Amino acid sequence: MTSTPAQQGTTSQDIQAHALHLLDLTKKASTAYNRPDLTQRLNETRRHVADPTIRLMVVGEFKKGKSSLVNALTLAEVCPVDDDIATSVPTAIRHAETPTATVIYETSDPEEENERQSIPFEQAAGFVMETQRSAGSKRVRLVEIDLPSPLLQNGLTIIDTPGVGGLGSPNTSVTYGALPMADALLFVTDASQEFTKPELDFLHTAQEFCPNIFCALTKTDFFPEWRRIVELDKSHFERAELAFPIFPVSSALHRRAVQGDNLDLRTESGYPPLVEHIKTELIAKSQFVTLRSVVSDLISVTQMIHSQFKAEHEALADPDKSADLLSRLEGTKEKADELRSRLARWQQTLSDGIQDLTSHVEFDLRHRMRNLTRLTDDALDASDPDEVWEEFSAWLQQQTANQVVENYAQLTKGAIELARRVTEHFHDDQDNITDRLEIDAPSEALARISLGELDASIRKFGAGGKVMTGLRGSYGTMLMFGMLGTYVGQMAHLAIGMINPATVLLGVFSGKKAIKDEKKRLLLQRQHQAKTTAHRYVDDVVFQVSSDSRAALRQVQRTLRNEYQQRADELQKSAQEAYVTAQNARKKNQNECQHRLKEVEAELKRINTLREMILHFAKRLGVKGA
Amino acid sequence: MASYPPSVIHQAKNLTETALAATQSREELAHAGDILHSSLDRLNGPLRVAIAGKIKAGKSTLLNALVGEELAPTDAGECTRIITWYQEGVTYKVVAESHGKIIDLPFTRDESAIEVDLGDLVAQETSRIIISWPSSALHTITLIDTPGLASLSTDLSERTIAFLTPGEEQAAQADAVLYLMRHVHSEDIHFLEAFHDNAVSQATPVNAIGILSRADEVGGGRLDSLESAKKIAERYKKDQKLRRLCQTVLPVAGLLAQTGCSLREAEFRALLVLANAPKSETDLLLLSVDRFAHAPSPVDLPIEARRHLLSRLGLFGVRLSIALIHHKIVRNASQLSTELVKRSGLIELQEMLAMQFSSRNEILKARTALLTLDAVIEKFHFPNTHELRNQLERIFSSTHEFTEIRLLNAIRAGNVRFSSEEITDAEQLLGVRGNNIHSRLGLEKQEDISIIRKKTFDELSRWQRRAENPISTRETVEAARVLIRTCEGILVTMAAA
């Protein structure tokens, strides 16, 4: 696609303004023509346009330069940087006119809202490094920072995360868990060495959760071989069949450039291409997706209004054919009724799909946990639980967390796929109706979002977007940045098997064998206890996660059903209106007919003008089929 | 202060030689003879120190710094693919061991690293490469360079792991491991734990020293990077998890050490030019590696020379050297050399190696040899089995050092219910931080005799109390008794001196 004004980002402000203007006009029409259902849809759409949020998560291994990078992008020294440990808590940075900071605390109760506390802006870094604690020492889940920053003005939120892998850093599954929140992922590695296996593994998995990934290779000011490392990294990507762009940058040079206002240095820092990429691939594309969705909504709304008047026009202009017209419209009404009914194909797809998905996800979880339990049993059989309990329970928590995260990935993928199929089937059925309402051809291409581009839209908008929001909500507590504390529960402390003094005496008389046997017996007992505890823990996790999964999928079902129910209702109302107006037209006498015909023609003209404006806007956006 | 008499190693040597003699001209004992022969070699040979760590941790650079010469190749990709031994030799020689055969390999060495021509050999088929090199540094230590861990070819990682943590039957091939980390990563912990667990079940406990490597990179090129690295190493040293797994953590800037040892006059002159040039000009050059290596500049130094400096010192090293010359802390090449090596942390590492292993070395080697002998006698039928066995028993039971090692193993395996503070103190008393008296007591070298004696008595009473405590388990009591014996030994040695 050639570069459109939308992608240049320079006139994005007025494109947005234009879109809002068209939205308002169309709303006027839908209100005037007595279609409150369409007005409601437009209101929802307007919310998306007026207040976009794009979440960019910055992720990477320990000490790779994430916070320096975020500081360079936001042109503010907000994220603390240190040679040793710095970022311990995730930080979300957004644009605002005046700087403010908020701390959000962990809550042990998943139902409860998280406590928010405003803090003085200067203290924010302290909270991020966890050097500052509030009274009561509650755990901090997230620090939100709002400040003026040009790159963030279009709704971009950058989330700086604690590095994974270092001593004392949170485990990777916590970061994985937060990925569904992100619209895009900026993976940070540095120029000191080529990609390691853990880094590539992470990217493989991350891809499942977040399709929009790009990489920054930092510290190019310091490592002489950085170009070679970039080449090596690119070939690693090729071999692993990953196709993420790599941007070499130096935050140190960037800082110097900003201080000295030096354009050469800024180019050398490598930041301009990265910023450009964020602006076009991320922000502009996101805006584009939003706006195209808006356009499609506008088109379909105007279509429906148009169809009413068209039908009336037909009835008025050609009273002889009215019987045919009425029967045709009757047929259309029936089709619209079918679309609304439970027996409609999209409904079937939805209910069957949800059932399948629910059992698939549940089976997947049980299967994973069964394997884990087997591993656990083997490990405990081969050791003395007393000696290894601490490491073992840490390992078990980690493994469980990993499996839960992967299971969640299955659920998310499945839900998106289901939304796609339901949309497809709905659109197919819908076409029958719009055909019959004789709506002009070109707009059809816009009304139907091409399936190839469905993913981006689905994830963001319409049914899919709501699905994602719903999923985020129900898994929110567990998989957001906090530790998986809610599932840890209390790992029971094992009673230490002391040797029974009586046995010692016995041993003196009957030889050492009795002590040996007693020791063995106690060991077996400990192992048994340990295995039971481990099983109980895993069962608890399965129980909790299953119920969360089921809740999430119910949410998905509800969302999709409501969304398409609403659209089916709209279509039905349109068909109904068309029928009624055609009927009424029959009753009119010659004079009334002529009079009304003139009115209708005027309305049609107004609607067509509006449609022209919308199509023109669509062309401006560079939308296909316009 | 006197250290423990190393006569145990003589005893081990004598006994092994006796057994070896018995295998001469006896067909069925030929294999036993081979084993005993290599055991004797090892007894007579220097300490074997393996260098391990994740890829690009700086292993080969550190090896070169320890040897004092650039031998191992250190370029930016993954280089060391085969486990490579560097030992002292009369002449320069490189051989490969593949499927049990020794094969001579041609090699070249120009200005820098050795380049070995593998010829038809494939890395997977080669168990190791042995480089013999005349070097005084290799006289007391044999260095073993290993492929990086968590490398993208898991094959390489597995080989290193197999080398360092062999199965229960074999003794580990290395006496000690320098484990290099740039910052402690969870992968490092996993490896160290696996290594530690295996080591516990080993005949010989293998000691690990943690090295915070590439210390000059810690600050991203700031001049206080090395101070920062020291602080970080201190923090790691105190970390509970790491303490169990390695004795201590030292920061080392390998590149500075390597180049410091081999600094050339021409290089110093180049640095001098930079130090004397106007600050505004050098500042621009020092902003980034690209500028330093490529940008045109009024400073009167050819770009080639600049590039060379960068590859030898790194950006930090260049900045540091210029600052040292500029502030007149060094005035010539030899002073700069000394200063770089001093700041690199190499000297502390060498001292640690000497202290940790060289004196304890004797006991560890003797123990390995005797355990090997024990296994061999068990497996093969010697004509003088009874006599050999008796001698073995005698040495084992009478040598307190072995009891100490057994106790150390038991502590590491978690069989002794000491508090974590008691464990630290017990390990120290048993010689883990140094075999000599002041290290065992945790005192400075110069301490007064009366202070040392008092500390010994304090420790003695403390462990006596522990032994007499009614709730102590049997293992704890036995452990306390060993420690009491150690204290008594110290008092006896001091009295004799």
Side-chain angles (χ1 to χ4, degrees):
Chain A
M1 198 186 292
T2 52
S3 171
T4 65
Q7 288 167 324
Q8 279 155 28
T10 44
T11 49
S12 65
Q13 300 283 48
D14 46 81
I15 286 197
Q16 193 161 334
H18 192 166
L20 287 172
H21 173 66
L22 286 173
L23 256 168
D24 289 335
L25 280 180
T26 315
K27 239 176 69 171
K28 266 202 199 138
S30 64
T31 319
Y33 299 131
N34 198 24
R35 292 295 303 266
D37 53 341
L38 297 177
T39 309
Q40 193 190 352
R41 171 133 70 109
L42 291 172
N43 277 335
E44 274 174 37
T45 310
R46 199 179 198 291
R47 256 198 302 274
H48 278 305
V49 181
D51 188 21
T53 305
I54 308 162
R55 281 191 202 85
L56 174 65
M57 246 179 83
V58 178
V59 175
E61 281 203 338
F62 194 59
K63 286 279 143 258
K64 293 290 179 178
K66 292 183 290 302
S67 300
S68 301
L69 181 113
V70 172
N71 287 342
L73 286 175
T74 56
L75 288 175
E77 300 287 316
V78 221
C79 301
V81 171
D82 183 85
D83 290 344
D84 199 358
I85 298 193
T87 315
S88 305
V89 170
T91 315
I93 305 168
R94 301 175 305 190
H95 173 82
E97 291 303 314
T98 43
T100 50
T102 317
V103 174
I104 299 171
Y105 291 100
E106 284 283 4
T107 164
S108 47
D109 182 357
E111 300 296 311
E112 212 183 282
E113 273 282 326
N114 298 100
E115 184 190 331
R116 302 174 67 95
Q117 184 198 9
S118 274
I119 54 170
F121 189 73
E122 312 75 52
Q123 284 182 11
F127 276 91
V128 173
M129 291 175 79
E130 283 198 320
T131 52
Q132 193 135 7
R133 283 192 174 274
S134 69
S137 257
K138 287 167 285 204
R139 270 195 67 110
V140 178
R141 187 210 261 192
L142 180 71
V143 172
E144 275 178 4
I145 298 184
D146 295 346
L147 44 68
S149 174
L151 188 65
L152 305 178
Q153 266 168 355
N154 290 310
L156 181 65
T157 301
I158 297 186
I159 306 178
D160 186 17
T161 62
V164 281
L167 190 66
S169 75
N171 59 44
T172 323
S173 50
V174 170
T175 309
Y176 278 145
L179 286 183
M181 308 276 161
D183 295 300
L185 190 74
L186 175 49
F187 186 75
V188 179
T189 182
D190 70 15
S192 69
Q193 65 183 61
E194 50 193 294
F195 278 134
T196 57
K197 193 163 178 307
E199 283 179 312
L200 285 178
D201 285 346
F202 177 82
L203 284 170
H204 258 296
T205 312
Q207 227 184 354
E208 305 278 335
F209 288 97
C210 181
N212 192 352
I213 302 183
F214 49 108
C215 299
L217 187 116
T218 58
K219 307 182 193 165
T220 55
D221 62 291
F222 190 60
F223 292 102
E225 300 283 325
W226 70 265
R227 285 189 181 81
R228 175 129 178 250
I229 300 293
V230 172
E231 288 310 312
L232 285 168
D233 280 350
K234 282 191 180 149
S235 58
H236 282 310
F237 269 170
E238 248 170 77
R239 241 172 291 156
E241 285 172 16
L242 298 168
F244 310 132
I246 300 180
F247 295 93
V249 293
S250 159
S251 308
L253 279 182
H254 187 263
R255 202 178 324 124
R256 279 296 282 261
V258 165
Q259 279 168 355
D261 211 0
N262 185 328
L263 281 177
D264 282 335
L265 270 183
R266 184 146 189 272
T267 313
E268 276 177 51
S269 77
Y271 268 91
L274 177 60
V275 173
E276 194 52 35
H277 183 89
I278 291 177
K279 282 190 180 158
T280 56
E281 290 305 302
L282 189 54
I283 299 179
K285 265 215 175 127
S286 181
Q287 278 183 334
F288 180 71
V289 165
T290 309
L291 291 172
R292 201 183 49 187
S293 198
V294 168
V295 164
S296 125
D297 272 348
L298 292 179
I299 300 266
S300 85
V301 165
T302 49
Q303 263 175 1
M304 286 197 238
I305 299 176
H306 186 269
S307 67
Q308 281 170 225
F309 287 108
K310 188 119 194 298
E312 194 176 353
H313 188 266
E314 222 184 291
L316 291 167
D318 209 343
D320 301 327
K321 295 259 177 64
S322 64
D324 287 338
L325 176 64
L326 272 176
S327 71
R328 209 180 70 221
L329 288 174
E330 181 112 39
T332 308
K333 255 201 336 160
E334 269 165 32
K335 276 263 168 321
D337 281 336
E338 269 170 36
L339 193 63
R340 282 184 71 224
S341 84
R342 248 167 248 264
L343 301 171
R345 188 158 76 118
W346 67 271
Q347 292 261 35
Q348 296 281 35
T349 307
L350 179 56
S351 47
D352 289 345
I354 281 289
Q355 264 188 352
D356 285 345
L357 187 55
T358 309
S359 36
H360 170 77
V361 168
E362 190 140 341
F363 176 75
D364 180 71
L365 182 66
R366 286 190 192 279
H367 179 71
R368 287 173 189 279
M369 292 312 178
R370 200 177 319 132
N371 287 345
L372 185 58
T373 312
R374 248 178 246 146
L375 264 178
T376 309
D377 283 349
D378 288 344
L380 286 172
D381 276 335
S383 57
D384 186 346
D386 260 0
E387 291 166 14
V388 303
W389 191 244
E390 220 183 277
E391 283 107 70
F392 173 76
S393 51
W395 172 84
L396 183 59
Q397 280 179 45
Q398 168 104 32
Q399 291 304 314
T400 317
N402 288 346
Q403 294 305 314
V404 168
V405 163
E406 294 195 13
N407 176 257
Y408 178 59
Q410 293 293 309
L411 186 149
T412 315
K413 254 176 47 176
I416 300 280
E417 180 56 34
L418 180 62
R420 224 177 130 269
R421 278 204 320 271
V422 171
T423 304
E424 199 182 319
H425 291 170
F426 184 87
H427 278 297
D428 283 344
D429 292 344
Q430 179 190 264
D431 277 350
N432 287 334
I433 300 169
T434 52
D435 268 349
R436 284 157 164 273
L437 291 175
E438 278 191 18
I439 294 169
D440 293 341
S443 39
E444 279 179 52
L446 285 167
R448 179 215 293 254
I449 300 169
S450 74
L451 291 174
E453 297 155 313
L454 208 58
D455 261 343
S457 308
I458 286 257
R459 277 173 179 277
K460 240 191 141 49
F461 286 110
K466 292 187 187 150
V467 160
M468 284 308 284
T469 317
L471 283 176
R472 286 170 191 175
S474 64
Y475 269 79
T477 320
M478 185 188 88
L479 289 176
M480 245 290 252
F481 288 104
M483 299 299 279
L484 291 162
T486 14
Y487 289 119
V488 171
Q490 298 299 322
M491 297 282 266
H493 289 289
L494 297 176
I496 298 173
M498 297 289 285
I499 296 186
N500 187 340
T503 337
V504 176
L505 285 175
L506 207 64
V508 170
F509 294 127
S510 62
K512 297 197 178 136
K513 185 167 185 297
I515 297 187
K516 256 189 158 173
D517 285 348
E518 174 72 7
K519 271 189 167 168
K520 186 132 198 275
R521 188 182 73 80
L522 286 168
L523 175 63
L524 283 173
Q525 194 181 64
R526 285 200 291 278
Q527 284 174 333
H528 177 75
Q529 263 180 301
K531 282 193 270 191
T532 311
T533 310
H535 291 183
R536 212 181 310 142
Y537 171 69
V538 171
D539 285 345
D540 278 348
V541 171
V542 168
F543 178 74
Q544 190 69 48
V545 173
S546 298
S547 94
D548 271 358
S549 291
R550 279 195 293 268
L553 286 170
R554 274 199 299 274
Q555 184 68 28
V556 169
Q557 187 178 26
R558 223 175 289 138
T559 307
L560 284 172
R561 198 179 47 220
N562 288 347
E563 174 72 16
Y564 288 111
Q565 192 73 45
Q566 197 183 2
R567 292 188 189 225
D569 285 346
E570 288 167 7
L571 279 171
Q572 203 236 18
K573 189 138 192 254
S574 302
Q576 174 81 3
E577 290 292 312
Y579 183 80
V580 165
T581 53
Q583 233 182 13
N584 287 344
R586 270 178 120 195
K587 298 189 190 129
K588 292 191 184 2
N589 62 42
Q590 178 99 16
N591 260 352
E592 285 171 329
C593 269
Q594 290 298 3
H595 180 70
R596 181 68 188 148
L597 197 59
K598 281 213 176 59
E599 279 181 350
V600 170
E601 273 169 5
E603 298 294 4
L604 276 173
K605 217 168 151 198
R606 262 189 282 256
I607 297 196
N608 277 330
T609 313
L610 183 56
R611 277 176 59 188
E612 285 300 317
M613 285 168 74
I614 296 172
L615 286 175
H616 177 77
F617 180 62
K619 252 213 187 78
R620 190 181 170 198
L621 277 185
V623 176
K624 280 198 274 268
Chain B
M1 276 290 144
S3 56
Y4 280 96
S7 59
V8 64
I9 205 168
H10 286 306
Q11 296 181 56
K13 278 188 203 170
N14 289 337
L15 199 53
T16 310
E17 278 163 359
T18 311
L20 188 59
T23 68
Q24 304 290 28
S25 64
R26 277 195 174 85
E27 267 282 356
E28 68 280 13
L29 293 178
H31 187 48
D34 287 338
I35 298 177
L36 290 177
H37 205 87
S38 32
S39 182
L40 209 53
D41 275 345
R42 195 154 171 193
L43 265 177
N44 291 324
L47 189 69
R48 296 170 177 192
V49 177
I51 304 184
K54 288 168 75 183
I55 52 172
K56 297 307 290 164
K59 298 184 289 300
S60 305
T61 310
L62 181 63
L63 189 143
N64 291 340
L66 284 170
V67 177
E69 281 186 70
E70 270 185 77
L71 293 184
T74 64
D75 60 355
E78 265 191 68
C79 13
T80 323
R81 295 184 167 271
I82 306 174
I83 296 176
T84 309
W85 292 57
Y86 292 81
Q87 61 190 31
E88 193 188 22
V90 175
T91 56
Y92 306 89
K93 193 168 168 191
V94 177
V95 303
E97 227 176 67
S98 175
H99 298 304
K101 287 187 293 190
I102 309 271
I103 306 165
D104 263 325
L105 290 181
F107 66 94
T108 55
R109 187 200 181 200
D110 43 25
E111 279 234 336
S112 54
I114 297 178
E115 251 190 70
V116 178
D117 180 9
L118 277 177
D120 294 325
L121 279 181
V122 169
Q124 282 105 312
E125 316 254 297
T126 316
S127 51
R128 63 175 175 155
I129 291 180
I130 306 173
I131 298 182
S132 305
W133 208 258
S135 159
S136 53
L138 292 174
H139 183 64
T140 46
I141 272 188
T142 293
L143 292 166
I144 307 168
D145 200 0
T146 62
L149 298 163
S151 85
L152 279 168
S153 26
T154 35
D155 181 43
L156 293 185
S157 300
E158 272 163 17
R159 276 215 241 147
T160 302
I161 293 175
F163 171 75
L164 289 168
T165 62
E168 289 187 14
E169 307 279 292
Q170 311 157 268
Q173 297 227 50
D175 296 315
V177 175
L178 297 179
Y179 189 75
L180 271 63
M181 317 170 269
R182 291 173 58 218
H183 355 265
V184 181
H185 195 279
S186 54
E187 301 252 322
D188 299 310
I189 300 279
H190 291 155
F191 171 74
L192 281 170
E193 277 173 347
F195 176 69
H196 176 253
D197 291 339
N198 268 30
V200 162
S201 63
Q202 281 298 300
T204 323
V206 184
N207 301 293
I209 291 185
I211 306 271
L212 185 66
S213 62
R214 294 171 73 160
D216 51 326
E217 292 172 1
V218 154
R222 286 189 337 259
L223 282 175
D224 65 348
S225 296
L226 295 176
E227 272 71 49
S228 226
K230 274 206 191 94
K231 283 192 209 135
I232 297 177
E234 276 304 313
R235 185 174 72 80
Y236 284 155
K237 216 158 66 171
K238 296 193 187 115
D239 182 85
Q240 281 297 348
K241 222 172 184 180
L242 271 185
R243 274 187 108 173
R244 254 182 1 110
L245 305 173
C246 39
Q247 255 79 84
T248 183
V249 181
L250 292 174
V252 175
L255 188 59
L256 284 187
Q258 183 190 250
T259 304
C261 289
S262 56
L263 191 67
R264 295 167 209 147
E265 193 59 48
E267 288 164 346
F268 179 79
R269 279 199 297 272
L271 287 165
L272 195 58
V273 168
L274 287 166
N276 289 337
K279 197 160 188 296
S280 55
E281 287 168 15
T282 40
D283 267 355
L284 285 179
L285 279 181
L286 290 174
L287 269 183
S288 75
V289 291
D290 275 354
R291 281 177 171 233
F292 194 77
H294 303 298
S297 168
V299 175
D300 187 18
L301 190 64
I303 280 194
E304 264 316 304
R306 277 194 257 150
R307 271 190 216 142
H308 179 79
L309 282 178
L310 193 61
S311 69
R312 286 273 282 162
L313 289 166
L315 193 61
F316 172 81
V318 171
R319 286 177 182 161
L320 177 65
S321 304
I322 293 178
L324 288 172
I325 297 174
H326 189 78
H327 292 285
K328 303 224 187 334
I329 300 177
V330 301
R331 290 164 206 277
N332 56 42
S334 109
Q335 283 181 0
L336 179 59
S337 231
T338 312
E339 197 59 36
L340 287 177
V341 169
K342 190 173 90 173
R343 285 165 190 249
S344 71
L346 183 68
I347 301 192
E348 279 88 350
L349 174 59
Q350 286 167 327
E351 280 174 3
M352 173 67 64
L353 281 174
M355 182 177 69
Q356 275 278 322
F357 302 127
S358 304
S359 50
R360 198 174 158 62
N361 176 31
E362 308 270 280
I363 299 167
L364 294 175
K365 286 201 299 187
R367 189 164 180 273
T368 312
L370 290 168
L371 287 170
T372 309
L373 187 55
D374 189 24
V376 164
I377 296 174
E378 187 73 36
K379 197 167 174 195
F380 297 85
H381 290 299
F382 277 75
N384 48 354
T385 301
H386 281 308
E387 196 191 305
L388 290 170
R389 209 157 253 311
N390 284 339
Q391 293 271 46
L392 258 179
E393 290 277 342
R394 193 185 56 75
I395 300 177
F396 265 130
S397 55
S398 68
T399 314
H400 184 63
E401 291 89 323
F402 290 158
T403 319
E404 287 179 332
I405 292 179
R406 267 201 295 280
L407 177 57
L408 265 176
N409 283 353
I411 291 177
R412 281 177 188 174
N415 289 339
V416 183
R417 290 197 199 292
F418 280 164
S419 70
S420 48
E421 202 198 306
E422 281 176 327
I423 288 180
T424 316
D425 292 341
E427 284 183 342
Q428 183 176 270
L429 191 54
L430 292 169
V432 141
R433 275 168 207 110
N435 211 24
N436 45 42
I437 293 178
H438 59 260
S439 301
R440 287 180 181 243
L441 295 169
L443 297 172
E444 294 297 320
K445 277 184 228 184
Q446 308 90 333
E447 291 288 6
D448 211 57
I449 281 196
S450 52
I451 297 184
I452 298 178
R453 197 176 286 134
K454 178 166 187 313
K455 185 82 200 278
T456 315
F457 271 116
D458 286 341
E459 286 292 302
L460 188 62
S461 327
R462 172 221 195 145
W463 293 112
Q464 263 169 350
R465 279 196 303 275
R466 196 67 167 91
E468 287 156 15
N469 190 328
I471 66 163
S472 295
T473 61
R474 197 171 46 126
E475 285 97 351
T476 319
V477 169
E478 278 174 16
R481 293 221 178 100
V482 172
L483 291 162
I484 291 170
R485 172 85 178 77
T486 302
C487 293
E488 288 168 349
I490 294 177
L491 290 171
V492 164
T493 312
M494 285 202 305

